Amino acid sequence: MRLDEIDKKIISSLQDNGRMSLKEISRIVGLTSMGVKKRLEKLFSRGLVKVSALLNIESLNLYAALLFVELENTDVKEEILKRFRECPRVVYIFNTLSGYNFIVLTIAEDKETLESEAMQRCSLRSQKGIRRSEFYLIGSIEYEPFLPVRENLTHKGKVIAPCGVDCGKCERYRAEKCTACPATKYYRGPL
């Protein structure tokens, strides 16, 4: 399916202000409110757009990092995707067609927790089948500090984190060098 100019204007309007009313959008695109509603329903039903809340990670004082990972094979890829599917700190996993198979955008509450994400058992880097990896702390996000942080995966009260690690037994957590996984009962952070 292609987007026509009206669809593009509707989408652009919502990207500027996701709370914009149908009436306001109708004035911009030159349709009735009902016409805009039908267009939006069509875009939603075809899976071209969705409504979601993004969090301003700068306002929450969260840190972001990029992790580049080269995997041994596709079995490792599937296992990692399965293990980290419910991880509230993983924002995106991008499959790439280069030397690295994955680029992962992740967040953490502080630099010490980010260090845990980079090196501990809960780290994607510590998984079997990783040939090599590089971890980069993002200094600032220039255009848009709002990210689709998966808040719906936090505060689950779990003993074992989705990645299979027991944060309560982790030395870094007990030494207060990690906030623990946001999905666990041990979590002590802002998410």
Side-chain angles (χ1 to χ4, degrees):
M1 178 183 168
R2 289 189 163 303
L3 297 174
D4 65 17
E5 291 307 310
I6 292 174
D7 292 333
K8 290 176 186 178
K9 284 181 182 178
I10 291 169
I11 293 167
S12 293
S13 297
L14 289 172
Q15 286 177 329
D16 287 340
N17 177 2
R19 296 176 54 109
M20 191 176 285
S21 71
L22 293 176
K23 187 175 181 179
E24 291 171 303
I25 297 171
S26 70
R27 277 188 247 136
I28 293 168
V29 301
L31 294 178
T32 64
S33 295
M34 186 53 72
V36 171
K37 182 179 179 183
K38 286 181 181 179
R39 288 280 188 136
L40 275 171
E41 287 172 353
K42 192 177 188 181
L43 291 169
F44 289 136
S45 69
R46 292 188 175 172
L48 294 173
V49 296
K50 76 174 195 169
V51 175
S52 66
L54 305 177
L55 290 178
N56 185 329
I57 66 165
E58 291 176 356
S59 292
L60 290 170
N61 296 317
L62 298 174
Y63 292 85
L66 288 172
L67 171 61
F68 293 74
V69 181
E70 181 182 351
L71 309 170
E72 287 181 1
N73 57 50
T74 56
D75 292 338
V76 172
K77 173 184 168 183
E78 294 307 315
E79 181 58 35
I80 287 174
L81 287 172
K82 180 180 170 187
R83 184 168 184 194
F84 290 92
R85 178 171 282 118
E86 299 293 316
C87 177
R89 288 211 174 93
V90 172
V91 177
Y92 289 118
I93 295 181
F94 302 100
N95 288 295
T96 58
L97 305 173
S98 61
Y100 291 104
N101 307 98
F102 282 156
I103 298 175
V104 180
L105 176 61
T106 186
I107 56 157
E109 295 77 1
D110 52 49
K111 288 183 181 177
E112 289 181 323
T113 300
L114 201 55
E115 186 177 330
S116 295
E117 271 187 59
M119 300 177 356
Q120 296 301 310
R121 291 181 310 134
C122 59
S123 169
L124 201 140
R125 296 172 83 185
S126 70
Q127 306 307 299
K128 291 180 184 175
I130 303 292
R131 279 197 183 132
R132 66 185 173 126
S133 66
E134 294 184 41
F135 196 86
Y136 296 99
L137 175 63
I138 295 172
S140 64
I141 300 175
E142 295 302 327
Y143 295 118
E144 189 65 55
F146 291 89
L147 293 176
V149 175
R150 302 186 309 159
E151 179 69 24
N152 60 315
L153 299 177
T154 65
H155 304 288
K156 300 292 185 181
K158 296 179 178 188
V159 174
I160 304 297
C163 66
V165 172
D166 184 344
C167 295
K169 294 180 180 177
C170 176
E171 288 180 33
R172 288 186 60 82
Y173 172 75
R174 290 195 310 255
E176 297 189 9
K177 292 184 177 181
C178 183
T179 60
C181 174
T184 67
K185 69 179 189 175
Y186 305 107
Y187 183 63
R188 51 181 175 228
L191 292 177

